Amino acid sequence: MRALDLKLIRDLWRMRGQALAIALVLAAATSTFVLSMGVSRSLAETRDAYYARNQFADVFVEMTRAPRTIIDRVAAIDGVQRVEGRIQQYASLDMPGRVIPVRALINSIDEHGYNRLNLITLREGRLPRAGAPQEAVVDEAFAKANALTIGDEVSALIYGSRQPLRIVGIGLAPDFIYALAPGDIVPDETRFGIFWMGEKALEAATDRKEAINALSLTLQHGSSEAEVIRKVDDVVAPYGGAGAYGRKDHVSNAFVDNELMQLDAMTRVIPPVFLVVSTFLVYIVLGRLIRTERTQIGLIKAFGYSDWAIASHYLKFSLAVAGLATLGGALGGIWMGRAMTEIYLQFFRFPFLEYRISGSVFLGAAALSFGAASLGAMAGMRTAARLNPAVAMSPPPPPVYRSGMLERFGAWAGFTTIGHMIARHIARWPWRSAITVLGVSLSLALLFATLQFLDSSRAMLDSFFFRAQRQDMTVTFTEPRNEDVLYELEQLPGVLRVEPMRGVPVKLSYANRMERAAIESTGDTAVLSARIDSSGNELGLPPAGLMLSRRLADKLQVEAGDRVHVELLGGRQTQLEMPVAGIVDEFVGERAYATQGVLDRLTRDASPVGAALLRVDPASRERILTELKNMPLVLGVNERDASMQRFEELIDENINTMLAFYIVFASAIAVGVVYNSARILFSERAHELATLRVLGYFRSEVGIVMLGELALLVVAAVPVGCILGYWLAQFMTAMFSSDLFRLPFAPSRATYGFASLVVMAAASHTALVVARRVFALDMVRVLKAQE
């Protein structure tokens, strides 16, 4: 073994604490990279494999009712590879012993096994047999949540008729990886499930003999999706076509894509913070090591070692630390990735989701780790290489102390002797002190930026559930009704107020831009629903024209006063030019709003009630639910409190796990920065501290000299970290927002305080570990040693 390599091993062992502290920060960067990249690729590969294996369609369209012959007409469109038609029908279920509303979306399948698109993966049992109209397959998540097994029977109210469904199979399908009930923003598998019935059985139950209401199709390679969608819309328009759309607008696929987007954002934001800190740590530690070994470097060069040999020796030091960090970080990232994958498997309905990580992810993580360490070592390498042997072997010039601004401030403020010593040392090494402050502040910023997502979720919860939705129940109907249905609901004992609501699908066009959306309307005197903007203000509906959500307005590039082309999807296919009367900055979805009168001009029908909002007496809740369950015209009932509770459960299950990871990561930065600062401080001031002990200072006073400087730097880092965290949180909030929802930026003071306490606790414990050396200082050995 070469002499320099042997010295390297000894240096690493002698400085193992500092090397491990740097490796800890680098390992955190590696872990987050491996975690996010590994989970993202596993999720994407699983999705792609599942879509390919189960023939997930490329384009979808729903209609009111169309003959089956429409399948051949759509199949004849250029660019269409395969078409499949089916019936989709919502139903309410009567679960034994439960009064809570349970809804299901029932899909038709060919009893002879001729389906070729959106294939079911059976987990148990079999598909329904031909001539067995009561047999059904249920999705796995709903079956587990409701303890349903093969052979169980549930009663379903389908298209106004009650029918028993006997479960013969439990399965999954690629178009329901993320199954949402209409009006919900989070899945609730206890209240909403997916069922599949035989084609003939569902035709009979919905009175759609030889008719369908949904089409799925795949495209030929190289064909234009937009062009196919345009031609499909022309074909299905006479049958109440609601507008064809591609995969990116499919609800289930959109939520999976949104999760992948967030993982990608995490990869781009989190690891760089750790890499910046670790680069500075390597710079400080190597700089101190080279200053300490100045004489040795001169001696080694005098023996004939080249400048490159000396520089590469210190580069190897940083690379050895990076290697240790890469190994530890990769193992940690794999462990956390597996834990996160288990969460996704509960969240998304995949038949399989294996955490697989490729060699390229490890190579990428290693490249980042070694790159950051090498960058931090560059300045030290340059210093070591440029040292002249004769100069290096002579003692370094003593530091020049002069009265600076900080010291003059201390004299003015009445600092004690120890206070002056602390202030003088900080002023002597301003660059290193600044790096310590920056490192600790970055750990606080990272922790705050992740913790504030809890505040964002709570703010969205408050805006969406408490202020925008004031009803207790939302009752949806099998089809739009006239106002008589409101009177019928008002007669139910315990119902305190009833208001109509309706939403219709439309295409909005401006210039060459087009977006699909829904126009929602409520009664002119509505009090059970409101539009709350991001500032918390309640906005009333304009008397004429449309109010667009900010996200939708931005995509169309319109402002208030512009006129947009509105095309009703389904129904009379009405087309109108409407002014944009206002824009509301909302958190959820891309929607448009209009008064009932404006919507009536568009729909031109006598059925203005698509759903009803109910405020009820809590004491009558169960009786009202039972009454609603027995009404044939009622498609489903959504309870606001249940949705809110489910939203909170998802936050607790998912976000809290991720926050635990980031508390550990942020603490790792604080520990790495403070430990290295404390060790360097102790090594530089050991002689001075021992002298103070000889002069009669107590151990506690000597300890304050060192701990006081660290405490001052950590306290100074708190406001800096809060400011950096504010900016980082805004940046992350913007990156994590999508077309589905936009997170509000609403950090609370408690979050600032909690993040500060966690970082200060981690820094305090680390500093106390080093402080034990001060208390156990061997004065004789230190004073005899060369400074």
Side-chain angles (χ1 to χ4, degrees), residues 647-668:
F647 189 82
E648 289 179 322
E649 287 174 357
L650 283 177
I651 291 174
D652 293 340
E653 291 171 6
N654 301 316
I655 293 184
N656 287 345
T657 304
M658 289 302 300
L659 290 182
F661 288 157
Y662 284 107
I663 288 175
V664 173
F665 288 152
S667 300

Side-chain angles (χ1 to χ4, degrees), residues 437-438 441-442 445-446 448-449 719-729:
V437 171
L438 178 64
S441 61
L442 280 176
L446 179 63
F448 168 78
V720 179
C722 290
I723 295 171
L724 291 177
Y726 184 87
W727 292 336
L728 183 62

